[in-house]
Amino acid sequence: MNSIKKYLGLVWIALAIYSYSILLKTAIERIRLVPTTDTIIQWSIFAIIFLPIALGFMMFGWMALKGAYDHLPESSNEVED
């Protein structure tokens, strides 16, 4: 199960990079197609808002890849601060 978690960590990292690159590519295409202020602001906001989400996916994948989720607590007695 731990090897699956590590493999899925790589998947999360790749998915975050791929999805953000698609978003940036689409934003650049739309801004070039209709270079108005409204379009530039709209796609800039999309890119800015999705950046922390993509970074969170990457951090989650990195933690899974490093083995931070190898042992998950089964009860509240096992939780450490």
Side-chain angles (χ1 to χ4, degrees), residues 37-64:
T37 305
D38 295 341
T39 306
I40 294 170
I41 291 173
Q42 175 187 3
W43 283 101
S44 298
I45 290 172
F46 287 160
I48 290 169
I49 288 176
F50 192 70
L51 180 62
I53 296 169
L55 290 175
F57 284 158
M58 288 177 64
M59 288 173 36
F60 181 73
W62 181 254
M63 295 292 288

Side-chain angles (χ1 to χ4, degrees), residues 71-81:
H71 175 70
L72 298 176
E74 295 180 12
S75 69
S76 59
N77 293 333
E78 294 181 20
V79 176
E80 299 173 4
D81 287 337

